[in-house]
């Protein structure tokens, strides 16, 4: 498997990390990442696929296939890259472990932003050592269509963080921003359902997936 681990240069000051299963990657991921890259003035944004989801969500595509799909989906945007560290680590993929490693690699002063959708953020208090994430990185929450709105989150610890949100992150870690983007009404689950049902591409598939990723899925006979 190809390694895409990064080596930030001296000019890299603002890095984004987008963790997920990416089974498969879709426009909701890539479009949101591009918008965040722009809004937060990031130098680079790394998609970090997990090996094994801490909450036991097992991917249908294997690590190599998910990595191949990410590489195809991101090939046209040079600032969007892949960090495959979780795929080569055994056991559950805890975000806090990856961010600890990344922080050691980039040093104290580089701004690190961890991206996640509002559905994932609403569950953040269940993540392993979740509070430590804020001492390693900033957090950018992307509002997702058809899920609980960030404003409706009741968990006090998360509410408190949301109330402290800033528009533009200007610290190496510890801040939170709620990205105001037009939400993409798509999920990998929805796409897998479509792919399992039809052989001819549906509007949903062509609208929300890169043609190269779609070709790869057909070629590998994935999600049938
Ligand atoms: P599944 O349907 O299999 O649960 P998913 O579409 O939610 O998959 P993941 O790979 O699990 O995709 O998500 C990775 C990250 O991307 C999560 O933080 C998730 O909230 C976020 N995300 C997924 N889809 C969108 C979307 N349409 N808009 C914004 N964020 C998204």
């Amino acid at each position: 498997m190809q390694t895409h681990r990064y080596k930030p240069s001296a000019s890299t000051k603002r890095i984004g990390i987008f963790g997920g299963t990416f089974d498969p990657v879709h426009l909701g991921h890539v479009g949101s990442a591009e918008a965040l890259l722009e809004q937060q003035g990031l130098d680079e944004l790394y998609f970090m696929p997990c090996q094994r989801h801490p909450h036991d969500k097992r991917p249908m595509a294997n690590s190599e296939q998910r990595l191949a799909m990410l590489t195809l989906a991101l090939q046209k945007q040079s600032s969007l890259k892949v960090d495959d560290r979780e795929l080569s680590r055994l056991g559950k993929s805890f975000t806090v472990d990856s961010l600890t490693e990344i922080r050691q690699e980039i040093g104290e002063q580089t701004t690190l932003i961890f991206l996640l959708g509002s559905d994932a953020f609403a569950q953040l208090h269940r993540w392993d050592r979740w509070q430590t994430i804020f001492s390693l990185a900033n957090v950018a929450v992307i509002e997702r269509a058809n899920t609980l709105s960030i404003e409706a989150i009741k968990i006090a610890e998360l509410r408190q963080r949301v109330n402290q949100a800033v528009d533009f992150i200007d610290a190496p870690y510890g801040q939170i921003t709620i990205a105001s983007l037009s939400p993409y009404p798509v999920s990998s689950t929805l796409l897998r359902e479509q792919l399992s049902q039809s052989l001819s591409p549906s509007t949903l598939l062509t609208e929300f997936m890169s043609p190269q990723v779609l070709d790869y899925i057909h070629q590998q006979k994935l999600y049938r």
Side-chain angles (χ1 to χ4, degrees):
M1 195 183 292
Q2 246 185 310
T3 300
H4 299 260
R5 197 74 55 83
Y6 59 83
K7 291 188 181 54
S9 67
S11 61
T12 309
K13 298 280 185 267
R14 295 174 69 80
I15 297 177
I17 302 284
F18 199 3
T21 313
F22 307 116
D23 185 28
V25 58
H26 53 68
L27 189 66
H29 301 127
V30 180
S32 303
E34 279 176 333
L36 243 299
L37 192 78
E38 176 86 24
Q39 273 189 10
Q40 293 295 326
L42 300 178
D43 298 305
E44 296 172 335
L45 197 160
Y46 290 84
F47 283 58
M48 185 170 69
C50 62
Q51 164 79 266
R52 176 127 176 252
H53 201 273
H55 304 120
D56 265 335
K57 186 167 108 178
R58 279 175 195 281
M60 285 183 76
N62 66 33
S63 299
E64 206 171 325
Q65 289 166 327
R66 288 182 293 127
L67 191 56
M69 289 189 281
L70 276 167
T71 307
L72 289 169
L74 305 180
Q75 63 190 355
K76 294 209 182 90
Q77 224 311 3
S78 62
S79 305
L80 298 183
K81 301 176 182 186
V82 183
D83 183 327
D84 68 355
R85 73 182 66 229
E86 293 190 349
L87 298 182
S88 40
R89 202 163 66 209
L90 294 175
K92 291 185 179 179
S93 302
F94 292 117
T95 298
V96 69
D97 293 334
S98 307
L99 294 179
T100 302
E101 280 180 21
I102 293 169
R103 178 52 76 190
Q104 279 163 3
E105 290 162 25
I106 62 179
E108 277 291 303
Q109 291 314 311
T110 304
T111 295
L112 187 61
I113 304 184
F114 182 71
L115 280 64
L116 80 183
S118 48
D119 59 319
F121 178 72
Q123 301 296 323
L124 188 67
H125 58 295
R126 301 204 169 137
W127 290 23
D128 194 56
R129 291 158 283 156
W130 74 274
Q131 313 247 20
T132 308
I133 290 176
F134 286 91
S135 62
L136 296 164
N138 300 283
V139 169
V141 188
I142 307 157
E143 189 92 61
R144 278 187 83 166
N146 311 320
T147 59
L148 182 76
S149 150
I150 296 164
E151 291 314 315
I153 293 174
K154 297 270 187 312
I155 311 292
E157 296 155 303
L158 298 180
R159 224 5 314 130
Q160 206 182 343
R161 299 274 177 185
V162 170
N163 292 341
Q164 293 164 351
V166 298
D167 287 338
F168 188 77
I169 286 176
D170 62 0
Y173 51 84
Q175 296 182 340
I176 182 167
T177 188
I178 314 292
S180 52
L181 316 174
S182 316
Y184 290 91
V186 63
S187 68
S188 299
T189 304
L190 205 61
L191 295 171
R192 288 196 302 273
E193 277 166 16
Q194 290 286 316
L195 287 158
S196 71
Q197 282 162 16
S198 81
L199 287 175
S200 55
S202 71
T203 328
L204 194 79
L205 295 177
T206 49
E207 194 178 344
F208 291 112
M209 291 193 83
S210 105
Q212 289 83 3
V213 173
L214 204 49
D215 282 349
Y216 179 84
I217 288 172
H218 290 312
Q219 181 205 321
Q220 296 279 312
K221 302 187 172 51
L222 266 169
Y223 308 117
R224 292 215 176 147

